[in-house]
Amino acid sequence: MTGNETADGAEKRRFVEVAKRLIAERGDLVSRTAVATGASVSRARIEAVFPAEADLLDAIVEQWFDEPVAIMEEVLASDLPANRKMYEFFARRFVLNRQRYRADPAAFKVYCDLGTAHFDRLESYIDLGDHYLCELIAQAQAEGAFEGLAIGEALSLINQMVAAYTLSDMIVFLDDRLSEEKLGRIVDTLFAGLSARDGGARGVKGLRAA
Amino acid sequence: MTGNETADGAEKRRFVEVAKRLIAERGDLVSRTAVATGASVSRARIEAVFPAEADLLDAIVEQWFDEPVAIMEEVLASDLPANRKMYEFFARRFVLNRQRYRADPAAFKVYCDLGTAHFDRLESYIDLGDHYLCELIAQAQAEGAFEGLAIGEALSLINQMVAAYTLSDMIVFLDDRLSEEKLGRIVDTLFAGLSARDGGARGVKGLRAA
C-alpha cells in the first residue's frame, strides 16, 4: 500500500506542476482536461486523481501553502521569546512570497487573482494562520505584552497592522518599499505600544480651527 | 471673465457627473465621445472642456480627491495635539471611502480598478498626502513621539501600518472588519510604541527547536 500511495502522490504532484505551468502560460485557471493533455495522460487517469475540478484547485492551493504552513509550525515549535517568534512568523513567509513574486511576477499576479476569485478555498489556511497567531499572542501576553486586550482583539489589530507583509496583492503593490528591517520595527512597535490603554487618539472633542 | 469661468466650471462638473454615471453603468472608463452622447452635447463642445482624453480622466480624479484633500487640510489647520490630528487625518478619509463603497460597491470596485490601471494620474495626490503626513510627523516628534526616526522612515512605517484604512482595495476586502475604534487603537499604538529603539524582534540568532 505504501508503495502505491507514494506513486499516487508523485503522480498528483506531477499533475499539479503541469497545471501550474499551464496557469502561468495562460493567465487563468485550467481544467482537468487541459492538464491531462499537458501531461499526456488519459482523461480517466486524471479523474482518478482529481474526481472533481475543485480537487485540482484544492491540490494547487495545498501545494501553495505547504511551505508557509511548515514555516509557521517551525516558528511556533521554537523556544524563542514571543517578539522574536512573531517577527519570524511574518518575516519568513513574507520572504517566501517575495521570492515567488520576483521569480515570476506575471504568474504571481495570476495566483493573486485566482486567490481572490476562489477565496473560499483559502479560508482553512487563513484560519490556521489565525490559530497559530492566537497561540503566539497568548505567549506574548504571558510575557507581559498586549495588556488588557482580548486575544481576538489583538489578533485583528495585528493582522491589520502587518497586512502589507501578509497579503500577496500588497507585496505586488509595495514590492521594494517592504523590507525585513521595516517589518522588524513594526513588530517592535506592536510589542512596545499595543495595549488596551486609551492613548487619546480618538479624543472626545471635535476639531477646532487653530 | 469670472461669470464665464463659473459657467465653464459648472459645465465641466456636469460632464464629470455624466462620465461617472456611465463608468458605474459600464464598469469601465468611458471616452469623451460617450460623455458627449450621454450629455447630449456636440463633440466640439466636450473637446473645448477636455482637449485630450486624459483631461477627462484627470477631471474625474480631481473630483474624487476634492473631499479627501479638504479633510487633510482642515485637520492640519486645527489646533489638536499630534495624536488626535493623526487619528482624524486617517479616520475621516476612511469614513468617506467606506461611505462611497457602501453607497455603490460595484461602482467603487470599478474606480479601484481604474486607479490601479491609471496609477500615474493619482501620484500627485498620494504625494500631497505624504507631504501632509510628514508635517504631522514633525509635530508629533516635537511633542516627543517617534523618537530617533528620520521623518521619511516614520512616514513609510506609518503608511504601511495603516494601509488597511487608506487603500481603497483594502476597504473592499476587509469592510466591516475595519472600524474607527480599531483605527484609534492603531494610532495609539504608533504613538506609544513607534521609535528607532531596537526592541529585539529581529534578534541576532536563528531559530532553535524547543
Side-chain angles (χ1 to χ4, degrees):
Chain A
M1 280 302 282
T2 309
N4 276 343
E5 277 168 18
T6 307
D8 286 357
E11 184 160 59
K12 189 173 176 179
R13 272 196 299 281
R14 185 169 82 86
F15 292 156
V16 168
E17 287 305 323
V18 170
K20 283 166 63 183
R21 179 170 54 76
L22 294 172
I23 288 169
E25 281 170 21
R26 300 182 186 182
D28 200 0
L29 191 58
V30 292
S31 65
R32 286 175 299 169
T33 309
V35 175
T37 306
S40 304
V41 300
S42 68
R43 170 94 194 170
R45 189 142 149 226
I46 207 118
E47 283 182 355
V49 177
F50 305 118
E53 292 291 348
D55 297 320
L56 171 60
L57 178 59
D58 284 344
I60 295 166
V61 171
E62 187 184 345
Q63 203 199 65
W64 179 272
F65 282 102
D66 254 4
E67 280 186 80
V69 169
I71 287 171
M72 291 192 291
E73 291 177 348
E74 189 188 0
V75 170
L76 263 287
S78 72
D79 66 350
L80 295 169
N83 65 332
R84 288 280 300 116
K85 273 192 194 176
M86 194 172 288
Y87 171 75
E88 299 291 340
F89 186 80
F90 291 120
R92 290 175 177 223
R93 288 179 297 148
F94 161 63
V95 169
L96 171 67
N97 267 327
R98 186 177 58 189
Q99 278 167 355
R100 286 173 168 178
Y101 168 58
R102 291 184 178 172
D104 190 341
F108 191 86
K109 286 177 193 169
V110 173
Y111 282 105
C112 287
D113 292 343
L114 285 178
T116 303
H118 303 277
F119 191 70
D120 56 311
R121 316 311 281 194
L122 313 183
E123 280 181 339
S124 65
Y125 295 97
I126 294 166
D127 288 348
L128 183 65
D130 282 349
H131 169 77
Y132 285 138
L133 184 50
C134 283
E135 280 191 27
L136 237 163
I137 291 166
Q139 179 187 340
Q141 292 193 309
E143 295 173 12
F146 314 142
E147 200 179 339
L149 290 175
I151 286 185
E153 289 177 293
L155 174 72
S156 176
L157 290 162
I158 293 169
N159 273 334
Q160 290 180 9
M161 294 173 92
V162 299
Y165 291 83
T166 58
L167 299 180
S168 299
D169 295 286
M170 296 286 279
I171 290 168
V172 172
F173 179 61
L174 294 170
D175 194 13
D176 61 10
R177 279 172 289 176
L178 300 173
S179 72
E180 292 91 318
E181 190 193 346
K182 288 180 188 172
L183 179 56
R185 284 219 191 283
I186 290 172
V187 175
D188 278 343
T189 302
L190 293 171
F191 276 81
L194 177 61
S195 75
R197 198 181 72 84
D198 182 357
R202 293 189 72 194
V204 289
K205 287 182 284 190
L207 291 187
R208 298 179 304 268
Chain B
M1 281 301 282
T2 309
N4 277 344
E5 278 168 16
T6 307
D8 287 355
E11 185 162 58
K12 189 174 177 180
R13 271 195 300 281
R14 185 170 81 86
F15 292 156
V16 169
E17 287 305 323
V18 170
K20 284 166 61 183
R21 179 170 54 75
L22 293 173
I23 288 169
E25 282 170 20
R26 300 183 187 183
D28 200 0
L29 191 58
V30 293
S31 65
R32 287 175 299 169
T33 309
V35 175
T37 307
S40 305
V41 299
S42 69
R43 170 94 194 172
R45 188 142 151 226
I46 207 119
E47 283 182 354
V49 178
F50 305 116
E53 291 291 348
D55 297 321
L56 171 60
L57 179 57
D58 284 344
I60 295 167
V61 171
E62 187 185 343
Q63 204 199 65
W64 179 272
F65 282 102
D66 255 2
E67 279 186 82
V69 168
I71 286 171
M72 291 192 291
E73 291 175 349
E74 189 188 0
V75 170
L76 263 287
S78 72
D79 66 351
L80 294 170
N83 66 330
R84 287 280 301 115
K85 273 193 193 175
M86 194 172 289
Y87 171 76
E88 299 291 340
F89 185 81
F90 291 120
R92 289 176 178 222
R93 289 178 297 148
F94 160 63
V95 168
L96 171 67
N97 266 327
R98 186 177 59 190
Q99 278 167 356
R100 286 172 167 180
Y101 168 57
R102 291 184 178 171
D104 190 341
F108 192 86
K109 286 176 195 172
V110 173
Y111 282 105
C112 287
D113 291 343
L114 285 177
T116 303
H118 302 278
F119 191 71
D120 56 311
R121 316 312 281 193
L122 313 184
E123 280 181 340
S124 65
Y125 295 97
I126 293 166
D127 288 348
L128 184 64
D130 281 348
H131 168 78
Y132 286 137
L133 184 50
C134 283
E135 282 191 27
L136 237 163
I137 291 166
Q139 179 186 341
Q141 291 193 311
E143 295 175 11
F146 314 142
E147 200 178 338
L149 290 174
I151 287 185
E153 289 177 292
L155 174 72
S156 176
L157 289 163
I158 293 169
N159 272 335
Q160 289 181 9
M161 294 173 91
V162 300
Y165 290 84
T166 58
L167 299 180
S168 298
D169 295 284
M170 295 286 279
I171 291 168
V172 171
F173 179 61
L174 293 170
D175 195 14
D176 61 9
R177 278 172 290 177
L178 300 172
S179 73
E180 292 91 318
E181 189 193 346
K182 288 180 189 172
L183 179 56
R185 284 218 191 283
I186 290 171
V187 175
D188 278 343
T189 302
L190 293 172
F191 276 81
L194 178 60
S195 76
R197 198 181 72 82
D198 181 357
R202 292 189 74 194
V204 287
K205 286 181 286 189
L207 289 188
R208 297 179 305 268

